[in-house]
Amino acid sequence: MSLDSSSSSSSGDEYIEENPNSNPKMVDERFEVLTLTEPVELESNHRGDGSEIENGSLNRERNGGDEDDDRLRVENQEIFGDAGPSSPSSSGYAGERGSSSATSASRIDEASEIDDNEIREVRNDGSLEGISDSQASSWVPGKRHIDEDDASISWRKRKKHFFILSNSGKPIYSRYGDEHKLAGFSATLQAIISFVENGGDRVKLVKAGKHQVVFLVKGPIYLVCISCTEEPFESLKGQLELIYGQMILILTKSINRCFEKNPKFDMTPLLGGTDVVFSSLIHSFSWNPATFLHAYTCLPLAYATRQAAGAILQDVADSGVLFAILMCKHKVISLVGAQKASLHPDDMLLLSNFVMSSESFRTSESFSPICLPRYNPMAFLYAYVHFLDVDTYLMLLTTSSDAFYHLKDCRIRIEMVLLKSNVLSEVQRSMIDGGMRVEDLPIDPLPRFGSSPHLGQQRPPTDSPERPTEPFIGIGGPAGLWHFIYRSIYLDQYVSSEFSPPLNSPRQQKRLYRAYQRLFASMHDKGIGPHKTQFRRDENCVLLCWVTQDFELYAAFDPLADKALAIKTCNRVCQWVKDVENEIFLQGASPFSW
Amino acid sequence: MGLASIGTASEGMQLCIFDLRRGQHEGQELDKILFFFPADLPFSTQLSVIGLSEGLITFTRIFSPEAACEVIEAERHSHVFYEAEPDIWMVMVVEKSKELEAIWRIDALREVLKEIHSLFMMFHGSIRALLDKEPSGELTRAHLYPFIMDYLRACQKRSPLDECCWDFLVGKKLQLPSFRDCLKERRTVQMLTVGREAAIEVQTLVRVLELCAGNTPCSSLILFQDLLVSTTLSPEDTINLFTYAVLRLTPHALSSGASSWSYLRKGNSSSHVATVSTLAPSGSVSEQFYGSRDTSPAGDNRYRITRPLQHDKWFKGKDGFLSTDIWGMDAGSLNVTTPTVWLRQTEERMYLCAYQYRSLTLILLIPFSSILNGEQGVSIVKQQLLENILCPPIEPFALVVSACLDCKASLKILKVEEKLSKGWGGENAYHVSGYRYLLVDGNREISRASPPAKVTTLTKESLLALNRLREEVDSEKSRAKWDNPGHDKDLEVCIRAKNNAWAIARITGGKELYMVLEKANETLLYASDAVEKFSNRYCSGAFSLD
């Protein structure tokens, strides 16, 4: 299989430097063209040609060794009791949306309204703006608290800091406060790292009370996180890796050359105006499971609808486009890659974050150089980006710097087809309908053939006696099921249920998110993992995790949930996911990549 | 085993104690250092270890003023911090080795530091008090150096079967608690389970013991083998004295002598340190710096240094009392000076008298202040003790028995010893077949665990999984401590590891249960059921769900 999560977790350092022609100038120029709406002339030596990039990529062909999803086996059957449904895993869903699928407004965005912004404790001095959870601080893009520095008490009390600095101690980015005012602090971080380095070692983590200081050294770039959230070290380290990846996406790794030439090189001008990209990425660390699962998620769509979108994307991919990606917010509608090219979920996360957080992409069609750090950290690709509506955007990636007009034509074609085949209106509709809800977990796993309602939702009249979950409304799904995340290993995709009551408040949702994060880290311990099963109960909830070769299931239950019932319910969730897999997953994503 | 090849102790571990209030001026940095192991490291290296520690203590206080640096994890080393007294820090640096054996649990390493400091306090009082007494720091260094070297050299032999864990202990490698010890809990007491009848006997014995010094309120500790039977001390003082007793006083400790394993090299361990210091280029410098060497006998040099952890220094006398010359000889007589200890709870200095009858060790603590005439006074109390436990007053039945035994039979103590011996199931008394467990009662600082020999049957993978789980639990516990002080964490974790073994942790009401179940193909429900059964049967249902 192509870049799976284990190989992809290796650091960017291991990539072979592919593009000897890269030079600092290119990095400089890169910023002049950040969001130009017209094609940009770049010197030809700025980029590798397409074939070079392809050869340099770390893809391996997906091949027949991969398990077909129809063969998704339920292992550990004994653990999950005898509730194993007997229905075939292939869904007969024909793509018609049931008329009974009307649901309440989407909650997709609710999770995004959580942030680490709160100051840990509000002192009486009144100078601190403690934002209580109940206020559901709506997340504001861009950097805040610019007036703070390391002398401010409020700055010291921020729950989670991120810093990027150079190996000479020059600040490059700080989540809070003004980088220039943090020069002294930055020098301290540098001193700690180099002191340990001089002793022939490399500092990774410092713990003090609730605080963790996590260090990541990437050549001449140092990244540091100081956090008092309960996230495990592995998660924080992964977040630093993503921040580094985001920086590479903007600059390519050839930035290292600048430091080789001039250790005192000041990088801040190069990243000018990208604060908003980093702050949006950091924000996603507290709501987007893709940041720790290393998988992407799809917008639920009828199989035929997604097929239609995929077909037109495939069309343009055959005309020299490396990747064609259609997304709605952070969810994938369809995705197609040129032959042998496959896209790592982390690259997709970073790319969509870059596009969504930069306001300029929304205003007009753009053609911008970007680098996919997992694909090839040394070379720029060129991204044609166009928002088809407020949330839906098309990204066409190419290796050619003068493909703007060609890609513009492609976009016009794609847009026409999408409009004609109603894909865009289906997307809108799916946004409103939302995804899987635990309340809708089918009680009896009868195979559904033919016309099936949206995501298998069974919505009989409310007085129907066949709906035993009815009394449980407000307390989640059957057996106290609150929420689940299902990650398909072969597809590199996950599906996460919508937040249902009682997970109403952003605070509860974030707590669950953090619990999943810990559970993931615990299951995937580097030395001894992955474990097979984990059951974890504390005051807040019961978590069940089940890892097989094919999938991983993470489920949250009421803390008083019965173990045996919870296990049966997990089994039903797996069956449900399989029943609707054609709607929630992009099947055979970039089929030409393996 | 790979450990032998790792090399000298100095590469494997460093241990230092420093005082942040000292040496704050340039050129006086050495003043900070109160202890450093290995002492033959160049001062520049010592100062760099302490400099990094100090730097990170200061740095972390920016964000976490309430709790400074606890650990530094680097690629090749872990630095474990413990603030033993305000501004007095102990830092242990351990090398991570490529071999899997060198996997630690940080909290277990910190317990070693805590144990060193608590024992030191028990015998010498606080480090700060020593520094105040003699601001040059020489007195403190002179005390710390031999004490910690004795500690490192000899430790923790709670069961002869422990040794199977340490068979590979060759070379100069320090053997610190590793993942293989994840079913042990340092700084806890292991209790003997006694029947109701025996418990009553023990109670009588305790009452009799404490009457020995007349009206003076004494405290006592009774051990059977290496297990605690009774204590009238605070939990912390109990742990310290219990630890010391198991190290040096119990029949087992007395007989084991040189055969016991140690943190340093087995056998000729004392010569090892000497070798190191003579071979080292800076040996003589640091020798002066740290004052009295461990090779010098007690009581010489400028300071009178007692070395309570010294090996093979306790003997059982004919009268049944344990004696040692560690505290020196009484001037003008052949009698040895009675040891004294400081209690943490009352901050009181106590005479320590230990009496042994077969497997039974009695420790009587008499307030120092209440004995006006020194050694003579202690002798009187000892005499009284003998009389009390050997010839209980006014008990016709006992007198008869006594007569029958045709000697001054140690009646009271004999009865107790006999009862306890009968009731004890031997080394594997607390083995529960099918289970490998550790049970910790944090409220009472008590633990019970599967016998070490049984734990060794577990695979490395299972032990690693449990070790990792314990680390997770440690961090959740520490987090709960900050978020919710005084509120006990409630947690249940069951992990089925890659090798199909279950690693289980249950925390509730201050009690902790850790378990490994290795039978393959067990389901989660089966594992939960097994825990439930164990809880009902052996923990009075403390971990049962209903």
Side-chain angles (χ1 to χ4, degrees):
Chain A
M1 61 198 264
S2 90
L3 295 168
D4 63 11
S5 57
S6 64
S7 69
S8 62
S9 61
S10 59
S11 78
D13 281 336
E14 288 160 30
Y15 288 101
I16 303 149
E17 301 213 345
E18 266 300 315
N19 189 349
N21 292 328
S22 309
N23 63 35
K25 197 175 166 212
M26 148 188 167
V27 170
D28 277 323
E29 285 186 3
R30 187 243 161 289
F31 280 89
E32 293 156 22
V33 299
L34 181 60
T35 54
L36 279 186
T37 57
E38 286 299 306
V40 182
E41 288 291 303
L42 286 175
E43 291 164 51
S44 58
N45 66 347
H46 288 173
R47 55 193 160 82
D49 65 44
S51 66
E52 188 184 346
I53 288 174
E54 279 186 17
N55 294 340
S57 73
L58 291 181
N59 313 312
R60 251 154 258 145
E61 272 186 75
R62 295 200 181 228
N63 55 37
D66 284 359
E67 293 292 329
D68 205 335
D69 275 290
D70 293 321
R71 286 161 57 199
L72 204 63
R73 292 181 311 273
V74 180
E75 288 200 341
N76 295 2
Q77 196 65 47
E78 81 280 7
I79 292 178
F80 285 77
D82 53 2
S86 54
S87 69
S89 58
S90 58
S91 160
Y93 178 45
E96 260 113 16
R97 204 170 289 276
S99 58
S100 60
S101 65
T103 54
S104 57
S106 162
R107 330 177 67 99
I108 282 173
D109 273 342
E110 285 205 9
S112 66
E113 292 180 355
I114 326 157
D115 191 29
D116 282 315
N117 182 49
E118 327 93 89
I119 292 172
R120 275 169 287 132
E121 67 191 76
V122 182
R123 286 268 170 89
N124 287 331
D125 59 18
S127 64
L128 309 183
E129 45 158 337
I131 298 168
S132 76
D133 282 325
S134 57
Q135 285 171 295
S137 53
S138 54
W139 180 73
V140 184
K143 179 132 134 182
R144 281 158 300 161
H145 315 293
I146 191 83
D147 49 322
E148 295 178 348
D149 59 34
D150 56 328
S152 333
I153 294 181
S154 54
W155 186 86
R156 294 177 176 203
K157 286 188 175 295
R158 301 268 165 227
K159 275 183 153 183
K160 203 166 166 190
H161 288 273
F162 284 100
F163 306 95
I164 311 178
L165 53 139
S166 74
N167 58 359
S168 65
K170 267 201 175 26
I172 295 170
Y173 171 79
S174 165
R175 183 185 188 193
Y176 298 114
D178 179 353
E179 282 86 3
H180 297 290
K181 284 199 229 159
L182 291 171
F185 183 79
S186 197
T188 309
L189 292 176
Q190 186 271 337
I192 291 170
I193 294 168
S194 60
F195 193 98
V196 177
E197 228 159 52
N198 291 340
D201 210 341
R202 187 172 268 200
V203 63
K204 298 195 308 192
L205 168 70
V206 174
K207 273 190 183 179
K210 284 161 74 171
H211 279 80
Q212 296 186 82
V213 188
V214 181
F215 299 87
L216 181 66
V217 173
K218 291 286 188 184
I221 308 290
Y222 293 169
L223 298 104
V224 182
C225 171
I226 301 178
S227 161
C228 67
T229 61
E230 63 266 58
E231 293 159 277
F233 163 76
E234 294 77 15
S235 306
L236 296 174
K237 187 172 168 251
Q239 292 168 13
L240 289 178
E241 295 271 5
L242 284 174
I243 289 180
Y244 178 71
Q246 190 75 72
M247 202 187 85
I248 296 304
L249 184 129
I250 299 171
L251 294 177
T252 79
K253 220 173 149 188
S254 54
I255 191 73
N256 289 3
R257 306 264 159 78
C258 305
F259 288 99
E260 278 162 28
K261 280 187 185 156
N262 173 18
K264 300 258 175 219
F265 177 67
D266 183 4
M267 230 176 95
T268 37
L270 289 189
L271 287 171
T274 58
D275 271 349
V276 68
V277 179
F278 290 101
S279 65
S280 143
L281 176 67
I282 290 167
H283 176 58
S284 72
F285 296 154
S286 60
W287 69 266
N288 189 347
T291 58
F292 66 87
L293 287 176
H294 305 292
Y296 64 91
T297 194
C298 289
L299 187 75
L301 280 178
Y303 182 70
T305 310
R306 206 188 305 282
Q307 284 291 92
I312 179 64
L313 293 185
Q314 186 61 57
D315 241 25
V316 306
D318 294 339
S319 74
V321 173
L322 191 59
F323 294 110
I325 312 159
L326 183 62
M327 291 183 76
C328 181
K329 293 198 166 169
H330 66 287
K331 298 188 177 184
V332 170
I333 296 166
S334 191
L335 146 73
V336 162
Q339 279 203 350
K340 296 187 183 180
S342 83
L343 199 50
H344 190 281
D346 283 356
D347 280 348
M348 287 169 64
L349 172 77
L350 296 173
L351 183 60
S352 67
N353 177 64
F354 181 62
V355 169
M356 276 195 294
S357 59
S358 316
E359 198 52 42
S360 48
F361 283 117
R362 294 176 181 273
T363 49
S364 53
E365 59 186 331
S366 313
F367 191 61
S368 167
I370 53 104
C371 165
L372 296 180
R374 296 283 191 183
Y375 184 72
N376 181 351
M378 292 313 295
F380 273 130
L381 296 174
Y382 299 88
Y384 174 91
V385 180
H386 182 76
F387 272 76
L388 304 174
D389 61 37
V390 68
D391 292 322
T392 314
Y393 51 99
L394 176 71
M395 297 183 284
L396 303 173
L397 307 189
T398 173
T399 53
S400 151
S401 63
D402 48 17
F404 176 80
Y405 290 109
H406 171 60
L407 297 182
K408 187 185 173 85
D409 288 345
C410 291
R411 187 265 299 169
I412 292 169
R413 258 194 320 140
I414 293 170
E415 199 169 5
M416 264 168 51
V417 173
L418 292 181
L419 279 171
K420 235 191 255 171
S421 55
N422 281 334
V423 171
L424 289 179
S425 54
E426 286 295 305
V427 164
Q428 291 291 334
R429 190 158 166 183
S430 172
M431 288 290 284
I432 291 165
D433 286 351
M436 302 173 90
R437 290 167 193 280
V438 290
E439 307 91 282
D440 300 328
L441 178 63
I443 299 304
D444 78 284
L446 284 176
R448 280 176 301 282
F449 289 107
S451 160
S452 109
H454 175 61
L455 296 177
Q457 287 168 1
Q458 294 172 316
R459 296 251 170 191
T462 41
D463 56 350
S464 162
E466 286 150 39
R467 190 167 162 87
T469 54
E470 203 66 61
F472 298 116
I473 277 188
I475 56 162
L481 175 67
W482 280 356
H483 191 267
F484 66 85
I485 295 179
Y486 177 103
R487 175 191 182 212
S488 160
I489 310 238
Y490 294 128
L491 294 176
D492 275 343
Q493 293 172 46
Y494 75 91
V495 62
S496 162
S497 69
E498 299 284 331
F499 287 118
S500 299
L503 298 171
N504 295 318
S505 72
R507 185 201 192 96
Q508 287 167 302
Q509 293 165 5
K510 183 154 141 190
R511 186 159 62 199
L512 176 63
Y513 175 84
R514 290 273 158 82
Y516 279 142
Q517 229 179 339
R518 278 198 302 278
L519 186 59
F520 181 88
S522 167
M523 289 299 284
H524 293 269
D525 183 85
K526 263 196 186 143
I528 48 170
H531 296 317
K532 290 183 169 170
T533 315
Q534 179 160 173
F535 174 90
R536 179 177 285 249
R537 180 183 54 77
D538 65 9
E539 299 91 336
N540 300 318
C541 64
V542 161
L543 292 174
L544 246 169
C545 179
W546 184 24
V547 173
T548 73
Q549 284 187 319
D550 306 319
F551 67 87
E552 295 179 1
L553 178 71
Y554 301 81
F557 291 83
D558 184 282
L560 297 174
D562 176 77
K563 243 179 223 155
L565 272 178
I567 290 166
K568 278 189 178 176
T569 306
C570 282
N571 222 13
R572 293 225 310 262
V573 168
C574 292
Q575 186 57 49
W576 188 26
V577 167
K578 268 182 253 169
D579 287 347
V580 296
E581 64 186 354
N582 284 330
E583 296 161 65
I584 52 176
F585 291 134
L586 174 59
Q587 297 287 356
S590 48
F592 295 92
S593 71
W594 75 86
Chain B
M1 291 279 197
L3 284 167
S5 61
I6 288 175
T8 64
S10 54
E11 283 168 30
M13 185 266 245
Q14 291 164 3
L15 177 60
C16 61
I17 303 178
F18 55 93
D19 179 4
L20 286 181
R21 296 182 194 166
R22 302 169 63 87
Q24 288 306 313
H25 298 287
E26 199 145 336
Q28 296 176 359
E29 288 87 354
L30 278 182
D31 237 19
K32 283 176 208 175
I33 312 177
L34 301 177
F35 172 83
F36 204 101
F37 171 85
D40 58 318
L41 275 191
F43 280 131
S44 60
T45 315
Q46 299 187 17
L47 282 175
S48 118
V49 171
I50 287 167
L52 176 67
S53 308
E54 208 181 337
L56 278 161
I57 290 166
T58 315
F59 176 77
T60 48
R61 280 195 170 136
I62 296 176
F63 298 94
S64 173
E66 68 283 355
C69 190
E70 289 165 358
V71 66
I72 305 175
E73 288 285 4
E75 215 131 86
R76 293 179 48 225
H77 296 89
S78 299
H79 304 235
V80 186
F81 288 63
Y82 173 55
E83 189 174 15
E85 296 169 31
D87 287 328
I88 292 175
W89 287 79
M90 301 174 81
V91 176
M92 179 192 271
V93 185
V94 289
E95 187 180 3
K96 297 173 184 171
S97 114
K98 287 265 165 8
E99 277 90 348
L100 270 175
E101 296 297 324
I103 292 175
W104 335 95
R105 190 167 58 88
I106 295 299
D107 279 24
L109 294 179
R110 192 172 295 113
E111 291 298 325
V112 172
L113 298 178
K114 283 186 186 166
E115 184 165 280
I116 291 175
H117 181 253
S118 297
L119 288 175
F120 185 84
M121 288 268 284
M122 180 166 81
F123 292 110
H124 301 301
S126 75
I127 296 176
R128 182 62 66 201
L130 280 173
L131 286 170
D132 289 345
K133 199 159 142 195
E134 205 232 37
S136 79
E138 279 174 58
L139 178 70
T140 313
R141 289 185 192 108
H143 273 97
L144 281 170
Y145 189 83
F147 187 86
I148 298 177
M149 294 313 287
D150 284 338
Y151 176 88
L152 292 178
R153 206 171 286 137
C155 236
Q156 227 56 15
K157 188 177 162 64
R158 292 186 175 161
S159 150
L161 290 164
D162 267 3
E163 268 196 343
C164 31
C165 310
W166 311 114
D167 273 348
F168 50 83
L169 222 177
V170 282
K172 293 174 184 174
K173 176 72 180 139
L174 284 166
Q175 193 56 56
L176 293 164
S178 79
F179 69 92
R180 294 197 179 275
D181 302 295
C182 62
L183 284 172
K184 287 182 194 166
E185 185 76 352
R186 191 175 293 268
R187 305 264 313 133
T188 55
V189 164
Q190 287 79 54
M191 298 280 296
L192 179 78
T193 307
V194 291
R196 192 182 143 78
E197 224 176 300
I200 293 168
E201 293 292 340
V202 169
Q203 273 313 307
T204 333
L205 182 60
V206 170
R207 231 170 293 135
V208 164
L209 261 183
E210 296 189 343
L211 285 172
C212 293
N215 291 327
T216 312
C218 297
S219 301
S220 72
L221 205 71
I222 302 177
L223 288 90
F224 177 82
Q225 305 273 35
D226 286 353
L227 299 166
L228 186 71
V229 175
S230 125
T231 176
T232 60
L233 291 164
S234 73
E236 187 171 20
D237 289 318
T238 300
I239 292 171
N240 293 336
L241 267 165
F242 174 81
T243 307
Y244 186 65
V246 172
L247 279 175
R248 290 291 171 262
L249 303 179
T250 58
H252 190 230
L254 287 181
S255 67
S256 57
S259 72
S260 71
W261 72 271
S262 78
Y263 278 153
L264 286 176
R265 183 182 197 160
K266 248 188 206 169
N268 59 341
S269 50
S270 59
S271 67
H272 160 62
V273 176
T275 317
V276 169
S277 55
T278 42
L279 286 176
S282 61
S284 57
V285 182
S286 54
E287 198 159 320
Q288 283 165 9
F289 187 70
Y290 292 114
S292 139
R293 305 301 304 181
D294 63 321
T295 41
S296 59
D300 74 350
N301 279 9
R302 276 174 299 155
Y303 306 107
R304 197 190 143 84
I305 306 295
T306 51
R307 294 174 49 197
L309 291 179
Q310 234 176 328
H311 239 281
D312 300 328
K313 286 288 187 179
W314 281 91
F315 305 97
K316 186 176 167 182
K318 278 189 181 142
D319 55 0
F321 281 99
L322 304 180
S323 66
T324 177
D325 61 356
I326 288 174
W327 276 261
M329 306 292 279
D330 203 14
S333 80
L334 285 175
N335 288 332
V336 292
T337 309
T338 307
T340 55
V341 295
W342 292 92
L343 293 186
R344 279 297 260 284
Q345 171 95 343
T346 53
E347 296 186 339
E348 212 177 351
R349 194 172 168 199
M350 311 289 263
Y351 281 113
L352 183 156
C353 294
Y355 177 87
Q356 204 161 72
Y357 173 74
R358 293 202 188 164
S359 304
L360 218 51
T361 308
L362 316 181
I363 296 172
L364 183 66
L365 298 173
I366 314 146
F368 187 81
S369 54
S370 70
I371 306 286
L372 299 173
N373 43 355
E375 290 304 323
Q376 223 181 329
V378 176
S379 305
I380 295 170
V381 177
K382 280 183 171 177
Q383 205 52 49
Q384 190 61 48
L385 186 143
L386 277 183
E387 279 175 27
N388 284 3
I389 58 173
L390 300 184
C391 291
I394 337 161
E395 211 176 328
F397 168 72
L399 283 175
V400 174
V401 179
S402 173
C404 296
L405 287 175
D406 193 32
C407 62
K408 281 191 94 183
S410 16
L411 183 69
K412 196 93 224 161
I413 197 163
L414 176 138
K415 257 172 117 179
V416 171
E417 210 277 342
E418 204 178 67
K419 276 233 159 69
L420 295 182
S421 293
K422 264 190 199 157
W424 192 50
E427 289 291 348
N428 286 339
Y430 301 126
H431 174 55
V432 181
S433 92
Y435 294 85
R436 300 295 180 269
Y437 71 94
L438 166 68
L439 188 59
V440 183
D441 185 340
N443 303 323
R444 298 190 298 154
E445 321 278 357
I446 294 172
S447 74
R448 173 164 297 170
S450 292
K454 298 291 181 183
V455 174
T456 53
T457 65
L458 292 178
T459 62
K460 191 170 171 178
E461 289 70 32
S462 306
L463 287 166
L464 281 170
L466 184 69
N467 191 62
R468 186 76 194 87
L469 174 58
R470 287 205 64 186
E471 276 191 328
E472 276 177 41
V473 171
D474 285 345
S475 76
E476 295 226 4
K477 265 163 51 188
S478 121
R479 187 145 193 110
K481 198 181 78 192
W482 292 111
D483 288 345
N484 248 337
H487 182 259
D488 278 327
K489 181 92 193 151
D490 195 345
L491 181 69
E492 173 183 2
V493 185
C494 305
I495 293 176
R496 192 184 202 205
K498 219 159 52 177
N499 67 347
N500 286 331
W502 285 96
I504 296 168
R506 280 264 185 112
I507 316 293
T508 189
K511 292 192 170 79
E512 303 169 23
L513 174 64
Y514 302 97
M515 202 175 262
V516 176
L517 301 173
E518 261 192 349
K519 259 198 242 155
N521 293 324
E522 289 163 352
T523 65
L524 175 61
L525 291 177
Y526 182 100
S528 301
D529 214 42
V531 176
E532 197 88 356
K533 274 185 198 146
F534 185 91
S535 162
N536 288 335
R537 188 130 179 231
Y538 301 99
C539 317
S540 331
F543 300 96
S544 307
L545 283 178
D546 310 312

